[in-house]
Amino acid sequence: MWRPLGEYMIVEQYQGDIAGLVLPENLKIGEGDTFRVIETGPGYYTDTGQLVTYDIKTGDRVMVAGKILRIPGEKTRMIARQADTLAVDREEIPDKV
């Protein structure tokens, strides 16, 4: 099984809506840009050796803009950079007013 390294994550196409997100009109999110996170890499190291991690967890629904690569031999799973994530939908995230 493939495992993501560094700042990458394995995702698969998500079927459904992410409700409550307001995006600028000039940012068009097309059908197929929403994914469920299967697994995340550990993050990346800075030049000083500090590990930088992302607040993206397995099971999150994410909107990704950027290059998404198909994994060889996989029908639905792809690899994407965590840094290319525009939004995360997670039930545990409280609404901020």
Side-chain angles (χ1 to χ4, degrees):
M1 179 170 173
W2 292 94
R3 299 203 57 182
L5 300 176
E7 63 174 325
Y8 291 90
M9 61 184 169
I10 293 178
V11 296
E12 64 184 6
Q13 202 83 38
Y14 178 75
Q15 302 299 323
D17 295 330
I18 294 183
L21 293 177
V22 179
L23 299 172
E25 286 188 28
N26 63 341
L27 180 60
K28 298 291 183 190
I29 299 297
E31 188 175 326
D33 295 333
T34 305
F35 302 91
R36 175 153 323 269
V37 177
I38 303 302
E39 188 174 359
T40 63
Y44 68 92
Y45 289 93
T46 65
D47 293 338
T48 60
Q50 182 180 6
L51 178 63
V52 177
T53 60
Y54 292 89
D55 187 31
I56 299 173
K57 310 277 186 259
T58 299
D60 286 348
R61 290 178 290 180
V62 295
M63 286 185 170
V64 177
K67 191 177 287 188
I68 299 170
L69 304 172
R70 296 225 176 254
I71 297 175
E74 294 279 344
K75 292 182 180 180
T76 60
R77 294 187 176 186
M78 294 156 267
I79 231 170
R81 285 184 48 206
Q82 294 183 57
D84 291 339
T85 301
L86 300 174
V88 177
D89 184 28
R90 182 184 315 146
E91 289 183 20
E92 300 88 45
I93 298 175
D95 292 333
K96 294 183 181 178
V97 179

